[in-house]
Amino acid sequence: MEHVNPLTGFRVDGRRPNEMRQLRGEVGVVSRADGSALFEMGNTRVIAAVYGPREIQNRSQQVNLKEALVRCEYRMAEFSTGDRRRKPKGDRRSTEISLVIRQTMEASILTHLMPHSQIDIFVQVLQADGGTRSACINAATLALADAGIPMKDIVTSCSAGYLCSTPLLDLNYIEDSAGGPDVTVGILAKMDKVTLLQMDAKLPMDTFETVMELATEGCKAIATYIREVLLENTKQLECQRG
Amino acid sequence: MLQSKSFVKKTKQGRVVKVVREHYLRDDIPCGAASCSSCDAAARRLNADAAAILVIDTNVVLHQIDLLENPAIEDVVVLSVVLDEVKNKNLSVYNRLKALCTNTARRFFVFTNEHHRDTYIKEMAGESPNDRNDRAIRVAARWYQSHLGASARVLLVTNDRDNKRKATEEGLNAETVESYVRSLAQPGLLDLVVVPTSGDVTMEDVEDLRPSKRKVIYIEHKPMSEITSGLRCGIYHQGKLRVNRYNPFEAYVGSESIGDEIIIRGRSNMNRAFDGDIVSVELLPQDQWHETKSFIADDDEDDNEGDVRLAPDSADDAPRNTNSTQSTVASVSSRPVGRVVGIIKRNWNSYCGSLEPMPMPAGSGGVAHALFVSKDRRIPKIRIQTRQLGNLLNKRIVVAVDSWDVMSRYPSGHYVRTIGDIGDKETETEVVLIENDINTRPFSTQVLACLPSLPWTLSPEDLANPNRQDLRQVRVFSVDPPGCRDIDDALHCTPLPNGNFEVGVHIADVTNFVHPGTPLDEEASQRATSVYLVGQRIDMLPKPLTEDVCSLRADTARLAFSVIWEMTPDAHIIATRYTKSVIQSCAAMSYVEAQARMDDSRMVDPLTVDLRNLNSLAKIMRHRRCERGALTLASAEVKFEIDSETHDPLDIGIYQIREANQMIEEFMLAANISVAEKILQHYPLCSLLRRHPSPTKEMLEPLLRTASSVGLNLDASSSKALAESLDNAKRDDPYFNKLIRILATRCMTQAVYFCSGDMSLSEYYHYGLASALYTHFTSPIRRYADVIVHRLLAAALDIAKLPPIFQDGPQLTGIADNLNYRHRNAQMASRASVELHTLIYFRTRPVDTEARIVKIKANGFIVFVPKFGIEGPIYLTSKGDKGGDWVVDEVNQKVTKPGANISYAVLQSVMIHMEVVEPQPHRPKLQLTLI
């Protein structure tokens, strides 16, 4: 299948290979949580809620007394995909993504400032159209910032693939399921450090580098957008206070 | 950049599932017109001073692609909605359109109207997708008109009456194809326009031109729904229709569902199917599976006699023998017979040929109906309309097929272009090339840009490369046919102190210049092989590479890829080494020269000694190979002597094979086998190998039958047994053994390339060479397969990285298929070229010669002329008179005339007269008659 039209160079949904889907971020969507956010990448829509830092509920889970415990739970809503199917809570994929998100966020949270406490991150996919992993990380970042949890830097994530001999940024579901490689990158935007790198196919070394380069560019663009959203939010809070 | 509007589309996929897709609309899509100042200048394709900018409808592309390919049609806007529709309806037309749009010499521009903010439209309630697409085309045309303003005239070209009417109502310029072409005032162009098949009257006219005995009416094709359900419950069988090359009234459908070939006899049972169509077939009741006697195909009203042609080299070229082993003629065949009920996928193409001679119609200048006869006998005659009949008679033309109506005996088509005069050597050669789909276009500038700078010389970097061994001090030499300019192999043979020999095969290092993924590589992979015609060569690689940079010429330093063995004096390989190298050949000999050196006992110079050593090694290797069961097959390869000025053939003779040829062949085989082992060991899943399938019993059947009729017992249980019984087949007749070998060769299929991941290890076997593994490594200048193998070997040696294409199984299989296709076409073209030159040769030289009967038919027999390597029919009875008073004995392969006491048996020698006759003007053919 032609994922990139050879004559016009457009992708199936009308994007160019190096263009991202439309982004939208909103902070404070769950009022009960300490911090929450909604994040959209095209049709992929994710909600994240953060509770904490709060007292550790289950002492046995605590490993290091001097650092905060970060927990993460990823779920896909049953209505998030086209065919409505009951998804068990602890399936392999969810567990894996939960772990991936936790590790990525942990790399940025200044856990040593909050000993004897735990931070819970809940992410729920409302609508899935490829790149849920990245969208969840971006949503979690927004929610953590909303909760006022100290972080080293903003973590953002974006995926890129390689189809029809072209590196493609931000794959949607059709492109994701085409069988090509899918490189998900997470970076600390300002520090320019990689916190997450996943790929589920083989790719020659030099092509991989260009694809990863593209994904990193995407991450940086998202970081700029997230910063805008947070600034806007802060301004509003400022106004409310008077 | 990103226009922030997202849309939602619903589509149904089998089950009713709601699919939500994003659809981005943008405002940065250029219009492509040079007269437009607001759009991106880099995308400009359409001329500023064009008379009109054409926006074409889908039906125009689908039916008039030949017209669009004509350079008279320019400044065309292809909308993405049209592109998508064409792609869904006809992939081959889509590919041609794609080629048009990417061709920089043509002014075709693709406008992505579906993603443009102003031209995207949503389907309205109650509107069919077709109507919606038509509206999208009109909206885009209107946008073009308003976008470009008065500076250009935008014309919507459509053959859809409804669409045209609506467009005119909306104030757009709209015309049909015919009226547009008429307005261009080029009469020749009108022949290219496909006339919609509504004119029943015109068809009647043409039928009247020929006094047809009966009106042929074909059975209506079954609707697709019925076919699919019939296939599912097993009433119908699906397969590709292949028409017998020697008898166009017989076809085969290889069906997977019954695991056998279904025979289809007669045009009415073929029911308008063409060769290569995917059809669905219904089996006839078993009592209709009668065998007809195998006539030399002349029992038809189309008077397509069996032509005299080159003797076939393999089973793939030979006429298929349908007679199974029945002793009584009237018995029921074991093979199923069927008829076509529907066509699943058409394989319509354009075909080369000429018009059937006909009188000029009274009112000249008007439209004439003519019948086109394809050179490919498998294709039926095609009815065309032309306004330039006078110009087209006696010309070779290209015609495309458009439709085939139930009421009409022949398909109707339209004229595409003229090639040249019939019988003219250049024209006929071009016909051969077109028929075999051989690309003769000069190499593009992008391809030529990939060449190294000329003149090329050995650079210090090449010498400094640790992977490249300097073998320039070694005495390397090459042996090739005389006049060979693309020398891709050279040898050396050095005695070692321990009594063994170091033998090296050095192959031109083409991959050092042809890098994967470059335009040069793409082009070579498409062409796949050089094509050798009589007195002409069509190169796979550009000439500087073929004849200079890669060619291992004498006394020049050249890069090579070497296989070096240590061999004992009794030709056992002790060690094998592969390396890239630099060599300097000390002599480029011809086979004759090398043979003369070896034979001349007075010569004792080191080079001659090397040759003799190699020859003695080769003889041992050859003997060992034959003991393993390799077949020594024979074919009658002919050679022409060409006049250097007129390029007409001066003399014709059988190509002589010397010991020197066999010596070179032996080392090339050994190198190929060694390389095959090495690459398979490293890349068990993605190596390119060559296999030769063992012939089946049915394929060997004609050989065994012929042999037993002359009292010879052949054992074909294995290649070894066959090789031995062929060796033992000796008679007083000196030519007998060769004749039997030639017949045996014909029963074999050809070897094919394949990707090692697609087959199991046991299927890798090469029957003819009796080798477990085989590949092609030794001719990278003229075969692309060898280029691939060079890359694999280099990667196996860690010299180079493996190109990414090898990780893509289906793509690799696609390459192997293309190699086989091109390889086969190249062979067919060579044979056709030889046939053509044979005809030219005999045109002025009728000759009496000896011939051998190779097959008995009901109305005559087929003879083989050893001296000229050609084969053709001899009729014992006049046409129309079937059988006559001749009695055919199928078991003993004999035809006798009871009263006259004359009989002819297979393999018998007869004297014949060969002469070129012209039964119709400008249609010469070679005729054989008994004397």
Side-chain angles (χ1 to χ4, degrees), chain B residues 274-301:
Chain B
F274 266 58
D275 182 68
D277 287 354
I278 310 280
V279 295
S280 71
V281 179
E282 175 187 52
L283 291 186
L284 291 174
Q286 201 139 9
D287 56 323
Q288 288 179 38
W289 292 9
H290 287 304
E291 284 290 342
T292 47
K293 278 191 218 170
S294 56
F295 282 93
I296 311 168
D298 70 342
D299 47 344
D300 55 75
E301 55 270 73

Side-chain angles (χ1 to χ4, degrees), chain A residues 85-123:
Chain A
R85 227 179 355 193
R86 189 164 284 277
K87 292 194 175 64
K89 192 186 160 196
D91 68 319
R92 268 163 187 272
R93 187 171 171 274
S94 306
T95 321
E96 188 244 310
I97 298 184
S98 300
L99 183 74
V100 165
I101 299 172
R102 203 197 84 209
Q103 285 173 342
T104 316
M105 302 321 295
E106 235 174 4
S108 146
I109 299 172
L110 298 168
T111 46
H112 60 94
L113 294 180
M114 297 161 279
H116 306 291
S117 55
Q118 78 169 22
I119 300 163
D120 289 303
I121 306 169
F122 298 96
V123 279

Side-chain angles (χ1 to χ4, degrees), chain A residues 1-2 5-16 18-23 41-44 81-83 127 129 170 172 174 202-207, chain B residues 1-8 15 17-18 20-26 28-30 80 83-84 87 94 97-99 101-102 110-112 115 801 804 807:
Chain A
M1 187 173 163
E2 285 171 348
N5 189 317
L7 298 174
T8 56
F10 286 116
R11 285 153 77 171
V12 181
D13 57 5
R15 289 184 285 158
R16 293 220 161 84
N18 58 355
E19 285 174 353
M20 235 177 329
R21 286 175 287 176
Q22 195 179 29
L23 299 177
M41 297 171 86
N43 276 335
T44 299
T81 49
D83 45 343
Q127 195 168 293
D129 187 29
D170 192 14
N172 65 21
I174 318 162
K202 281 184 187 171
L203 206 55
M205 206 50 212
D206 37 352
T207 354
Chain B
M1 278 279 274
L2 207 65
Q3 186 62 35
S4 57
K5 260 187 191 171
S6 91
F7 275 82
V8 169
R15 312 180 278 156
V17 174
K18 187 178 162 194
V20 180
R21 279 180 192 168
E22 281 176 287
H23 194 94
Y24 288 94
L25 299 184
R26 6 190 6 131
D28 64 343
I29 298 173
S80 61
L83 215 53
D84 287 343
K87 189 177 167 188
Y94 172 72
L97 181 65
K98 214 164 93 175
C101 295
T102 44
V110 180
F111 179 69
T112 319
H115 289 284
K801 276 196 290 184
Q807 278 148 22

Side-chain angles (χ1 to χ4, degrees), chain A residues 111-183:
Chain A
T111 46
H112 60 94
L113 294 180
M114 297 161 279
H116 306 291
S117 55
Q118 78 169 22
I119 300 163
D120 289 303
I121 306 169
F122 298 96
V123 279
Q124 172 99 347
V125 178
L126 300 179
Q127 195 168 293
D129 187 29
T132 53
R133 210 173 289 235
S134 300
C136 287
I137 291 173
N138 297 332
T141 304
L142 267 177
L144 282 171
D146 185 39
I149 289 170
M151 290 192 283
K152 282 184 213 163
D153 194 356
I154 288 176
V155 194
T156 55
S157 168
C158 188
S159 68
Y162 189 73
L163 291 169
C164 305
S165 313
T166 337
L168 302 180
L169 185 63
D170 192 14
L171 305 181
N172 65 21
Y173 180 72
I174 318 162
E175 292 163 340
D176 204 10
S177 47
D182 174 16
V183 182

Side-chain angles (χ1 to χ4, degrees), chain B residues 250-388:
Chain B
E250 191 170 70
Y252 313 90
V253 175
S255 161
E256 274 179 21
S257 48
I258 57 168
D260 198 0
E261 280 183 333
I262 304 167
I263 304 173
I264 309 219
R265 293 213 183 86
R267 280 267 156 81
S268 60
N269 279 338
M270 272 193 244
N271 198 359
R272 294 172 280 157
F274 266 58
D275 182 68
D277 287 354
I278 310 280
V279 295
S280 71
V281 179
E282 175 187 52
L283 291 186
L284 291 174
Q286 201 139 9
D287 56 323
Q288 288 179 38
W289 292 9
H290 287 304
E291 284 290 342
T292 47
K293 278 191 218 170
S294 56
F295 282 93
I296 311 168
D298 70 342
D299 47 344
D300 55 75
E301 55 270 73
D302 276 14
D303 55 284
N304 276 324
E305 289 105 303
D307 287 327
V308 178
R309 46 177 52 238
L310 216 58
D313 276 340
S314 74
D316 305 341
D317 306 326
R320 305 181 53 96
N321 196 317
T322 54
N323 285 16
S324 10
T325 48
Q326 83 275 30
S327 43
T328 49
V329 183
S331 81
V332 168
S333 152
S334 56
R335 294 176 73 183
V337 177
R339 66 182 177 89
V340 173
V341 291
I343 290 164
I344 297 165
K345 194 161 182 285
R346 278 286 186 195
N347 182 39
W348 277 346
N349 251 321
S350 36
Y351 304 97
C352 278
S354 50
L355 293 183
E356 195 164 78
M358 60 181 279
M360 285 294 284
S364 65
V367 180
H369 300 277
L371 276 173
F372 164 88
V373 186
S374 169
K375 256 209 94 186
D376 186 344
R377 297 184 54 202
R378 293 171 297 179
I379 307 301
K381 292 180 186 177
I382 300 165
R383 189 197 318 286
I384 67 163
Q385 273 186 34
T386 177
R387 288 164 189 78
Q388 38 178 350

Side-chain angles (χ1 to χ4, degrees), chain A residues 4 38-39 61 80 93 101 124 168 181 184 197 225 232:
Chain A
V4 181
L38 182 81
F39 197 82
Q61 284 183 341
S80 62
R93 187 171 171 274
I101 299 172
Q124 172 99 347
L168 302 180
T184 305
L197 181 56
Y225 176 73
E232 189 65 30

Side-chain angles (χ1 to χ4, degrees), chain B residues 35 52 108 116 252 375 411 449 461 506 531 571 631 752 776 910 915:
Chain B
S35 57
F108 276 63
H116 194 284
Y252 313 90
K375 256 209 94 186
E461 293 94 73
H506 310 278
V531 182
L631 294 172
V752 286
H776 270 162
V910 288
E915 180 178 32

